[in-house]
């Protein structure tokens, strides 16, 4: 009881004396979560490139520094190693997110407005920003909580004909009787083929590839909670001990022993959330990948409990996400003249998801960003036509190359309607993409890495708490 009272007292003191803001950062594969966090922290430590963050531009942020994270059982986000990879003499992209990690950034802020009266006596106040990094594939799993095995299996099998890489799993399903007695070798074969199909779909640009731990198993690899697969609904009975019943049991165990602990220990404690989206990668992959992304992002938002964090609500009903930012990454792969179009596509792509969040009282925004700018812009002439290009170092060859990705449409419906209709390809052209390596950087004292609109993203997510 004494330890409990001490813990409550410490939490109340921290809440009112040194408030804590938990910022969740997630996204789907290759959306750039690690780069986003690393560049955000570097640019908050050295704020020379953050003019749209008002607290930085006004000098209200007196200092920023890293502190030990409060969650002792969560791995620390390896900020120093990731920054070294991005800004070294031979820059490279850091390794992608494989599990939950956390980093605490503390900001000393000079209060403004009425708070400046008290600030003259007490001095700058400290605000802790706990940044929680977790894979977007795990977030998608939260949608499974409302689905039983039969519903999930039917939805998953219904998507197979619209995705590449499912032939091996379909072949393994042939001749399988869900009502037959359970056999472990059969379960392992089906799970292995299903996992292969998920990985191929993800590599092809598809987003909704659940269950997420099949892609990032970690220490659970080979366990029963990761050894199941969707089966067609049996025509006859499914007695106890049948393949269907065991697959159903393992699916429910996955929800209970994998998904619920993630929600309880990490996700339910988030105050603000960034959802990073590789929209350009989906557009390049084609209409079906764009539609899959739209549905995945709607499913993701369904996992949030959006709304405003009244202090009493925190104690009585738990936290609710106050702000959600949907950010299309890799804006540096486009000339700045197309950034507004990418933002419009993001807004249209997330329309259904944003409507649900806005209705619940959360502030939402969509924007196009690049957490680390890897290209420069140039205009090239060819056959009397001018093309706005970007130029950077190719990952594959290490050579400089210019890219003209194609013109995004001014009207997002020209992309979203073919996607909803299940078109195989874009009718009016193709959208190219290249994989650029980080550029060698020369940063002046007080400057973080170059970016596009990272300061605007920070203002939306943190600005109201820094004034």
């Amino acid at each position: 009881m004494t330890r409990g009272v001490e813990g409550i007292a410490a939490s109340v003191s921290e809440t009112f004396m040194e408030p804590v803001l938990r910022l969740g950062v997630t996204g789907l594969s290759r959306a750039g979560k690690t780069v986003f966090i690393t560049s955000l922290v570097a640019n908050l430590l050295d704020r020379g490139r953050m003019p749209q963050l008002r607290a930085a531009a006004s000098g209200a942020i007196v200092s920023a520094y890293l502190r030990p994270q409060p969650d002792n059982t969560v791995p620390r986000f390896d900020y120093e190693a990731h920054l070294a990879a991005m800004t070294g003499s031979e820059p490279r992209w850091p390794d992608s997110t494989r599990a939950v990690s956390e980093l605490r950034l503390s900001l000393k802020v000079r209060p403004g407005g009425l708070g400046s009266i008290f600030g003259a006596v007490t001095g700058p106040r400290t605000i802790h920003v706990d940044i929680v990094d977790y894979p977007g594939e795990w977030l998608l799993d939260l949608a499974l909580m409302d689905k039983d095995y039969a519903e999930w299996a039917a939805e998953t099998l219904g998507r197979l004909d619209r995705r590449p890489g499912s032939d091996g799993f379909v072949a393994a399903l042939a001749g399988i009787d869900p009502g037959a007695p359970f056999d472990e070798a059969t379960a392992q074969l089906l799970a292995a083929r299903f996992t292969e199909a998920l990985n191929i779909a993800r590599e092809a640009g598809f987003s909704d590839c659940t269950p997420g731990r099949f892609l990032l198993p970690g220490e659970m690899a080979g366990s029963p909670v990761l050894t199941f697969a969707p089966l067609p609904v049996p025509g006859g009975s499914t007695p106890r001990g049948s393949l269907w019943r065991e697959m159903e049991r393992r699916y429910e165990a996955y929800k209970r022993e994998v998904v619920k602990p993630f929600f309880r220990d990490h996700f339910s404690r988030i105050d603000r959330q960034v959802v990073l989206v590789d929209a350009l990668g989906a557009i390049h992959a084609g209409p079906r990948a764009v539609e899959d992304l739209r549905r995945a992002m709607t499913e993701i938002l369904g996992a949030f409990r959006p709304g405003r964090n009244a202090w009493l609500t925190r104690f009585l009903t738990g936290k609710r996400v106050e702000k959600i930012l949907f950010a299309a990454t890799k804006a540096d792969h486009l000339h700045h003249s197309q950034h507004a179009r990418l933002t419009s596509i993001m807004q249209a792509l997330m329309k259904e998801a944003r409507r649900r969040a806005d209705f619940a009282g959360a502030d939402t925004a969509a924007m196009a960003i690049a957490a680390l700018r890897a290209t420069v812009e140039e205009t090239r002439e060819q056959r009397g036509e001018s093309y706005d290009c970007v130029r950077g170092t190719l990952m594959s060859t290490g050579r400089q190359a210019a890219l003209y990705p194609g013109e995004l449409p001014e009207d997002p419906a020209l992309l979203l309607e073919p996607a909803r209709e299940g078109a195989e390809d874009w009718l009016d052209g193709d959208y190219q993409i290249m994989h650029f390596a980080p550029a060698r950087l020369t940063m002046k004292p007080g400057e973080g890495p170059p970016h596009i609109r990272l300061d605007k993203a920070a203002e939306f997510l943190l600005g109201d708490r820094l004034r």
Side-chain angles (χ1 to χ4, degrees), residues 71-93:
D71 296 317
N72 294 322
T73 59
V74 178
R76 182 181 184 272
F77 180 84
D78 198 353
Y79 164 74
E80 293 81 5
H82 297 323
L83 183 64
M86 290 162 46
T87 62
S89 58
E90 296 294 334
R92 59 179 178 82
W93 298 116

Side-chain angles (χ1 to χ4, degrees), residues 45-77:
L45 292 172
D46 295 298
R47 298 170 292 281
R49 298 184 191 267
M50 301 290 278
Q52 294 194 71
L53 177 61
R54 284 185 280 181
S58 67
I61 301 177
V62 177
S63 62
Y65 47 94
L66 295 175
R67 293 283 300 276
Q69 74 223 48
D71 296 317
N72 294 322
T73 59
V74 178
R76 182 181 184 272
F77 180 84

Side-chain angles (χ1 to χ4, degrees), residues 72-285:
N72 294 322
T73 59
V74 178
R76 182 181 184 272
F77 180 84
D78 198 353
Y79 164 74
E80 293 81 5
H82 297 323
L83 183 64
M86 290 162 46
T87 62
S89 58
E90 296 294 334
R92 59 179 178 82
W93 298 116
D95 295 334
S96 56
T97 298
R98 308 292 297 181
V100 175
S101 62
E102 186 176 337
L103 189 69
R104 168 166 283 194
L105 176 68
S106 298
L107 302 167
K108 280 193 176 295
V109 181
R110 186 180 296 110
L114 183 61
S116 62
I117 299 174
F118 300 101
V121 178
T122 62
R125 61 192 176 99
T126 300
I127 299 174
H128 303 293
V129 180
D130 290 343
I131 302 173
V132 183
D133 175 30
Y134 61 94
E137 289 83 359
W138 295 7
L139 181 58
L140 280 168
D141 278 350
L142 295 179
L144 302 181
M145 297 304 299
D146 297 326
K147 301 174 184 177
D148 60 23
Y149 175 70
E151 182 181 0
W152 169 77
E155 289 182 0
T156 302
L157 293 174
R159 289 196 294 260
L160 291 182
D161 62 341
R162 301 192 298 270
R163 293 183 172 184
S166 59
D167 294 347
F169 177 60
V170 172
L173 274 179
I176 294 291
D177 178 10
F182 173 76
D183 176 68
E184 184 64 40
T186 300
Q188 292 185 9
L189 174 65
L190 291 174
R193 295 291 179 268
F194 180 55
T195 302
E196 290 174 5
L198 290 177
N199 276 291
I200 293 172
R202 182 176 62 166
E203 289 299 317
F206 288 81
S207 303
D208 189 355
C209 299
T210 54
R213 296 296 179 99
F214 279 52
L215 300 171
L216 301 169
E219 73 283 357
M220 295 182 185
S223 63
V225 291
L226 298 189
T227 311
F228 65 89
L231 297 176
V233 177
S237 63
T238 53
R240 183 177 300 177
S242 65
L243 180 62
W244 174 275
R245 286 285 191 94
E246 181 60 17
M247 291 293 192
E248 183 179 43
R249 187 192 71 80
R250 294 183 179 190
Y251 171 81
E252 293 298 332
Y254 181 84
K255 295 196 302 182
R256 181 178 64 252
E257 298 174 26
V258 178
V259 181
K260 278 187 177 180
F262 167 66
F263 177 83
R264 179 189 64 238
D265 298 338
H266 303 291
F267 180 75
S268 64
R269 300 163 58 198
I270 296 297
D271 297 299
R272 311 279 170 94
Q273 179 67 50
V274 185
V275 180
L276 303 176
V277 181
D278 183 10
L280 290 177
I283 292 170
H284 171 67

